[in-house]
Amino acid sequence: MPNPKRKHTRSRRDLRRSANSKLEAVNFVECSNCGAARLPHNVCPKCGFYDGKMVTEVKVKKAKTQEEAK
Ligand SMILES: [Zn+2]
């Protein structure tokens, strides 16, 4: 069996491994109800609609009152 004569450097190894990877842009589609950008096949995070129906209620972030912060 032929064998490599010398060990490749970490740099050379990592360059080879990184050559086949690249960042891919996330795909967004427009929500049919509110028009916000959402991921395909996912419930809209803004209005909670999916396939034209209300699926989940969107939680509204509570603003911390001063009494809660104490
Ligand atoms: Zn929406």
Side-chain angles (χ1 to χ4, degrees):
M1 277 281 280
N3 267 324
K5 201 165 191 174
R6 291 196 192 286
K7 176 182 179 175
H8 284 180
T9 61
R10 279 171 282 175
S11 166
R12 198 168 159 175
R13 175 203 66 196
D14 293 345
L15 269 173
R16 166 172 37 86
R17 287 182 186 173
S18 69
N20 298 315
S21 66
K22 59 183 174 189
L23 291 172
E24 261 183 56
V26 181
N27 191 33
F28 279 112
V29 292
E30 212 172 77
C31 174
S32 57
N33 184 56
C34 68
R38 64 168 179 84
L39 294 170
H41 310 285
N42 277 266
V43 175
C44 175
K46 285 274 168 65
C47 62
F49 269 61
Y50 186 81
D51 199 23
K53 282 167 277 187
M54 178 81 151
V55 179
T56 51
E57 287 197 14
V58 179
K59 289 172 189 166
V60 180
K61 277 185 184 175
K62 279 185 202 170
K64 267 192 181 177
T65 58
Q66 283 190 334
E67 284 180 36
E68 278 176 341
K70 277 177 189 173

